[in-house]
């Protein structure tokens, strides 16, 4: 047939449905008799609940029920289970479905109102009276470990959630003998995920039995099933969880939230379907956020600017609860030493409670902040030693011949972290060549005109393909259609397209003959979740393995049906054909029909029924993607406005299944990083009240702020999986803020400006320029 899908820019098979309005997101679910939920949430960052009066709310028109925790029994007030293991947490304090004693950030659910419509439920929710004893809140996370700091949880001994420590090498000796040691502090600020679709849950009891169906806009339907069953004390087989079309996840939709317990609980109590959809205001206080971190670090370098070691400490704001464990902080620690062949690392991360929304992974998890500090340290060495920043990186990178490369750090399971493959120098050189070697001249010319141009580069690594597995089952139907079922949920990435591409090549079918079923616990029994850029590696490899098994089975059966040697058979155009004999073939659908069984006719000896196979590729080691970004900016020194003039990405995620989809992932990730660098700032007042709770105050990049993003692909196949791929979901975000901040600092070098934080608003840039001018006059 001559068509090969793997590696081709195949158009997404999901899109005809989505762009013609046929997508079905959670709020599109139309269920007869559905009732609507609205939550009464804490209006205080920290308070003790003294009493709850729901009487007036229960009298409101259209109200069916109003529940506080006491109305729903102990299930509603016991701590919820965790999404990930929490064995290394000193104080594993999680949400209750409905708080009844203490609230630890603005937005904690306290009461749920059930009514005939959402507006009726919201009107009634406004009538609920909650009597609070307001407690002092921990808002400034930098002071959370001070002995006199208030406690984020009133009964907790302190605000320390946990401490993490990563170390390798002869740290003291490296720093004592290094020709150069520089100290620096950094700070990154929290923001949200702000997916186009907010969260939502629909729960419906089975009218004919004891089953429960839950639709939720999650990244992890199988984990949600497990956690709902765990919390409600039900058998998993009685709970079905479906993630319909989901409009973006970016991490926070991988968290297990109180609403995912409360809705099922209420639906079972009322024996009615219940629906809740988060509104945009709720999103700012009820969906997890990320990235408040402060770093104090030292970097050691030799006389040539080669990085030798990094040591220091990070303070990580966890927020009020730990529903997702320490993943964000753990990922920050494990991201050392980045792309650098450091001889020593000694980093401690102290994770602290505050009375703010929990801090869990948002695109990139803890990697963007570690990338930020490492890249800024590399720039610091370059500046201090008057070396080209690119040259510092060339001299410090892990070299191609060093793979597989043991970093010295440990993974979540305690195993040594090893980079599987890559060519870090190739990505760096590719972006430099693409951007051209005339920047210094252009910068000088612009400066003479009173314009301030800057160039930044930033490199990164990303662990992808996270363990343990994501399975896939492939079956051929008598019609010839091929059905791929998997537990891997999608939030718009194009999973169905890449699975179909992998399968189509192996089975010799057209991509239009493949149907993908996912994100339904009844469609496939096991699944982990679409997190950590893992789906292409784990589910993609399982699709490959299952397709290979189906292919082998089809050839074996066709060999008997065609009375031909297996060695003479090939799969092409939906049939098994005898090579060189025109017209001698048997369609896959006919083989499937034969294997589906016929009364009184025995099966082929040694073969199980069905032209199908199931595979679970087991990811025992992570694959590491990498890349380098280069950006050029112009800073208006009078207004502080930053314009991104050019953005070039050198990206290596192993073999590309679909370059067009990878480009989309990278570009989306870069835009996320632009928001982190220049716009997104979640501000709270001194009492923990969120201040930036709409998109007039909380800024996101829009089309005018997004430049054309040029992408260069370097392909270093991973030896760890059968298709040679690595994840691509977060590589666009990880180095973006570091790269943009580096360029801004370069542009403002005449003012002596140093930037060790993000985001930087125009006002902040004006402050930095003013401070630079006060410290020293412009150098021209």
């Amino acid at each position: 047939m001559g068509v090969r899908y793997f590696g081709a820019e195949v158009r997404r098979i999901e899109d005809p449905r989505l762009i013609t309005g046929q997508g079905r997101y959670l709020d599109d679910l139309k269920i007869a008799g559905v009732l609507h939920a609205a939550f009464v949430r804490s209006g205080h960052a920290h308070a003790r609940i003294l009493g709850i009066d729901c009487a007036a709310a229960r009298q409101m028109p259209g109200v069916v029920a109003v529940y506080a925790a006491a109305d729903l029994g102990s299930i509603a007030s016991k701590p919820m289970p965790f999404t990930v293991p929490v064995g290394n947490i000193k104080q594993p304090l999680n949400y209750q479905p409905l708080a009844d004693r203490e609230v630890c950030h603005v937005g904690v659910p306290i009461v749920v109102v059930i009514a005939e419509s959402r507006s009726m439920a919201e009107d009634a929710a406004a009538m609920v009276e909650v009597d609070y004893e307001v407690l002092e809140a921990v808002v400034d996370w930098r002071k959370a470990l001070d002995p006199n700091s208030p406690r984020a949880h009133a009964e907790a001994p302190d605000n320390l959630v946990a401490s993490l420590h990563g170390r390798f090498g002869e740290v003291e000796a490296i720093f004592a003998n290094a020709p150069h040691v520089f100290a620096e502090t950094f700070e990154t600020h929290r923001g949200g995920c702000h997916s186009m679709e907010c969260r939502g849950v629909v729960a419906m009891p089975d009218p004919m039995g004891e089953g429960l169906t839950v639709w939720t806009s999650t990244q992890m339907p199988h984990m949600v099933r497990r956690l709902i069953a765990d919390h409600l004390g039900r058998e998993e087989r009685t709970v079905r969880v479906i993630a319909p079309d989901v409009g973006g996840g970016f991490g926070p939709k991988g968290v297990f939230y109180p609403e995912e317990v409360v809705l099922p609980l209420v639906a079972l109590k009322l024996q009615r379907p219940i629906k809740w959809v988060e509104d945009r205001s709720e999103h700012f206080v009820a969906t997890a956020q990320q990235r408040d971190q402060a770093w104090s670090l030292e970097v050691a370098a030799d006389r040539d600017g080669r990085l030798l070691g990094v040591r220091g400490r990070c303070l990580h704001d966890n927020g009020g609860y730990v529903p997702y464990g320490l993943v964000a902080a753990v990922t920050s620690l494990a991201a050392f030493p980045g792309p650098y062949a450091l001889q020593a690392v000694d980093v401690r991360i102290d994770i602290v409670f505050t009375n703010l929304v929990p801090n869990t992974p948002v695109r990139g998890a803890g990697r963007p902040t570690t990338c930020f500090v490492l890249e800024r340290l590399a720039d610091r060495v370059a500046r201090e030693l008057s070396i080209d920043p690119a040259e510092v990186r060339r001299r410090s990178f892990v070299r191609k011949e060093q793979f597989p490369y043991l970093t010295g750090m440990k993974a979540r399971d305690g195993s040594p972290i090893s980079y599987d493959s890559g060519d870090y120098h190739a990505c760096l050189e590719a972006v430099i060549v693409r951007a051209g070697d005339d920047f210094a001249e252009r910068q000088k010319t612009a400066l003479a005109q009173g314009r301030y141009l800057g160039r930044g580069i930033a490199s990164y690594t990303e662990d992808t393909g996270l363990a343990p597995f994501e399975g896939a089952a492939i079956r051929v139907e008598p019609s010839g259609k091929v059905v791929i079922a998997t537990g891997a949920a999608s939030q718009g990435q194009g999973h169905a397209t890449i699975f179909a591409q992998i399968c189509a090549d192996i089975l010799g079918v057209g991509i239009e003959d493949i149907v993908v079923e996912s994100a339904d616990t009844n469609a496939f029994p096991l699944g982990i979740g679409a997190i950590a850029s893992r789906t292409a590696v784990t589910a993609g490899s399982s699709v490959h393995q299952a397709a290979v098994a189906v292919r082998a089975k089809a050839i074996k059966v066709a060999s008997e049906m065609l009375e031909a040697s297996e060695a003479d058979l090939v799969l092409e155009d939906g049939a098994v054909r005898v090579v060189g004999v025109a017209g001698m073939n048997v369609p896959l659908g006919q083989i499937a029909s034969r294997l589906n069984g016929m009364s009184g006719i025995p099966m082929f000896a040694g073969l199980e029924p069905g032209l199908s196979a199931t595979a679970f590729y087991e990811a025992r080691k992570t694959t590491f993607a990498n890349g380098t970004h280069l950006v050029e900016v112009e800073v208006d020194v009078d207004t502080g406005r930053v314009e991104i003039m050019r953005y070039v990405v050198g990206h290596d995620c192993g073999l590309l299944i679909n370059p067009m989809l990878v480009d989309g992932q990278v570009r989306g990730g870069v835009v996320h990083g632009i928001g982190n660098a220049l716009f997104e700032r979640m501000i709270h007042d001194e009492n923990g009240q969120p201040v930036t709770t709409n998109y007039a105050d909380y800024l996101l990049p829009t089309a005018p702020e997004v430049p054309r993003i040029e992408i260069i692909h370097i392909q270093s196949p991973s030896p760890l999986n059968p298709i040679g791929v690595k994840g691509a979901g977060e590589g666009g975000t990880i180095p973006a803020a570091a790269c943009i901040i580096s360029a801004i600092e370069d542009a403002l070098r005449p003012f002596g400006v140093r930037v060790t934080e993000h985001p930087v608003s125009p006002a902040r840039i004006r402050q930095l320029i003013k401070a630079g001018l006060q410290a020293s006059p412009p150098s021209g």
Side-chain angles (χ1 to χ4, degrees), residues 283-615:
H283 184 75
F284 282 92
V285 298
T287 291
Q289 303 169 356
Q290 194 196 312
R291 293 206 181 119
D292 267 339
Q293 287 185 342
W295 294 80
S296 178
L297 294 170
E298 289 182 311
V299 59
D302 69 12
R303 290 184 175 82
D304 296 324
R306 185 167 67 92
L307 307 183
L308 302 174
V310 173
R311 66 182 178 186
R313 179 188 178 225
C314 170
L315 193 64
H316 174 99
D317 169 22
N318 173 84
Y321 304 93
V322 287
Y324 205 73
L326 303 179
V327 172
V330 167
T331 310
S332 281
L333 187 63
F336 284 93
Y340 301 110
L342 299 185
Q343 298 175 23
V345 165
D346 186 354
V347 174
R348 192 181 80 192
I349 300 180
D350 290 326
I351 302 118
V352 298
F353 279 121
T354 59
N355 293 113
L356 302 175
V357 171
N359 186 338
T360 72
V362 175
R363 201 169 195 169
R367 303 175 192 88
T369 50
T370 298
C371 178
F372 179 71
V373 301
L374 280 172
E375 294 306 287
R376 295 274 61 217
L377 288 174
D379 285 345
R380 173 75 187 278
V381 170
R383 184 176 67 247
E384 297 284 355
L385 303 186
S386 299
I387 300 174
D388 183 341
E391 191 57 35
V392 169
R393 289 165 171 85
R394 287 189 190 99
R395 296 171 184 176
S396 305
F397 277 166
V398 175
R399 300 187 308 277
K400 186 176 181 180
E401 62 270 21
Q402 290 180 284
F403 293 101
Y405 179 80
L406 286 169
T407 70
M409 298 296 277
K410 298 291 181 62
R412 296 182 198 178
D413 64 355
S415 62
I417 293 177
S418 174
Y419 295 164
D420 53 328
S421 66
D423 188 342
Y424 302 167
H425 291 83
C427 284
L428 174 65
E429 302 306 334
V431 299
I432 291 174
V433 170
R434 173 70 68 87
D437 59 4
D438 63 341
F439 179 74
E441 188 63 30
R442 288 192 286 116
Q443 187 181 40
K444 183 179 179 181
T445 301
L447 189 59
Q449 300 167 346
R451 298 167 56 223
Y452 295 84
L453 306 186
R455 175 184 277 189
I457 57 174
S459 303
Y460 75 100
T461 58
E462 180 196 2
D463 52 313
T464 71
L466 187 70
F469 65 83
E470 206 66 73
I474 296 177
R475 72 176 188 276
V476 181
E477 298 190 330
S479 66
K481 289 288 185 183
V482 178
V483 179
I484 301 173
T486 175
S490 174
Q491 299 82 51
Q493 300 93 329
H495 292 165
T497 302
I498 64 167
F499 297 157
Q501 288 181 256
I502 295 167
C503 181
D505 284 345
I506 298 170
L507 296 187
V509 301
I511 200 168
E512 65 278 5
D513 291 323
I514 296 177
V515 176
V516 178
E517 299 175 343
S518 68
D520 180 346
T521 58
N522 276 15
F524 195 80
L526 298 172
I528 303 299
I531 56 171
S533 301
R534 64 188 300 276
T535 301
V537 174
T538 54
S541 295
S542 293
V543 169
H544 171 90
Q545 291 176 334
V548 168
V550 169
R551 181 181 185 278
K553 195 172 186 179
I555 286 180
K556 194 172 190 63
V557 173
S559 170
E560 296 204 28
M561 296 176 75
L562 296 170
E563 297 182 349
S565 167
E566 292 183 29
D568 294 331
L569 300 179
V570 296
L571 272 70
E572 289 180 350
D573 298 328
V576 182
R577 302 177 185 279
V578 179
V579 176
V581 184
M584 194 169 181
N585 64 79
V586 55
L588 288 175
Q590 189 174 331
I591 298 172
S593 180
R594 178 68 180 84
L595 285 173
N596 283 357
M598 299 176 189
S599 177
I601 299 178
M603 296 297 295
F604 293 99
L607 291 179
E608 294 182 352
L611 184 52
S612 61
T614 299

Side-chain angles (χ1 to χ4, degrees), residues 657-669:
I657 302 172
N658 187 324
M660 187 165 58
L661 266 64
V662 174
D663 286 355
Q665 287 290 313
V666 171
R667 290 196 171 97

Side-chain angles (χ1 to χ4, degrees), residues 662-734:
V662 174
D663 286 355
Q665 287 290 313
V666 171
R667 290 196 171 97
V670 169
V671 176
H672 231 127
I674 292 172
N676 295 157
L678 299 176
F679 298 101
E680 299 184 57
R681 180 175 288 276
M682 190 67 212
I683 301 174
H684 297 82
D685 71 11
E686 66 277 13
N687 297 315
Q689 291 291 334
V691 175
T692 50
T693 56
N694 59 61
Y695 292 139
D697 299 325
Y698 184 97
L699 301 182
L700 293 165
T702 57
E705 289 83 46
V706 176
R708 175 174 175 264
I709 298 166
E710 305 167 52
I711 301 172
I712 306 163
H713 292 293
I714 306 293
Q715 299 190 58
S716 302
S718 174
L720 300 180
N721 61 75
I723 52 178
V725 302
K726 307 174 182 182
E730 296 162 287
T733 301
I734 292 170

